[in-house]
Amino acid sequence: MLLPAERTIVLNLAESPRNDPPLRRHRFTIAHEIGHWVCHCLEGRAAILEPNYCRATDIANDVDRAIEREANIFASELLMPEEAVRAAWEETPEVESVSARLDVSPLAIGWRLFNLGLVEERPA
Ligand SMILES: [Zn+2]
């Protein structure tokens, strides 16, 4: 949850996936909320200080709401910069290796690799 008036991001530990290291998942969630804030300000809506609630499903790759997609894209580009991803992939073209190197989930790096055209298959 993003609380613009307080300039605060609140995480709900109960919504954290059990199969992902907590810090890794929290980094993505925090980056997602920062993405909401940055996009919010870029669109000239900084004066609107309504809280923004995001559920775990909003941070999924297949989310259909544009505002959630843009926050996910922001988080992906912040945590997995294209140059770093390409360099890591060139050095060791294995999802687990690049995932560990950038400290993101295999699913997140799988989507990033797919979107950068470095792999042909969508992650499962
Ligand atoms: Zn969101």
Side-chain angles (χ1 to χ4, degrees):
M1 170 172 51
L2 171 67
L3 301 170
E6 290 86 8
R7 296 181 183 271
T8 300
I9 293 169
V10 178
L11 303 177
N12 181 349
L13 297 179
E15 293 198 4
S16 182
R18 308 240 186 283
N19 60 350
D20 222 4
L23 184 59
R24 178 182 285 175
R25 186 63 190 184
H26 295 164
R27 289 175 66 231
F28 196 90
T29 302
I30 292 166
H32 175 98
E33 295 302 333
I34 292 170
H36 277 310
W37 178 248
V38 169
C39 294
H40 196 81
C41 291
L42 289 175
E43 293 165 2
R45 295 185 293 127
I48 302 169
L49 299 177
E50 296 291 319
N52 186 59
Y53 299 95
C54 297
R55 310 304 273 171
T57 52
D58 292 331
I59 300 173
N61 289 295
D62 58 351
V63 66
D64 60 355
R65 292 173 52 207
I67 195 167
E68 298 303 337
R69 279 199 313 272
E70 74 181 7
N72 283 338
I73 291 168
F74 181 94
S76 292
E77 292 184 358
L78 181 66
L79 299 176
M80 300 171 278
E82 182 175 350
E83 190 174 319
V85 171
R86 288 186 184 280
W89 185 253
E90 190 172 312
E91 189 177 306
T92 310
E94 297 169 358
V95 169
E96 288 294 333
S97 172
V98 178
S99 161
R101 186 162 171 179
L102 297 176
D103 199 15
V104 294
S105 71
L107 182 61
I109 196 64
W111 276 104
R112 187 70 167 137
L113 292 166
F114 176 77
N115 289 330
L116 291 173
L118 295 172
V119 296
E120 292 181 9
E121 289 185 31
R122 292 173 180 263

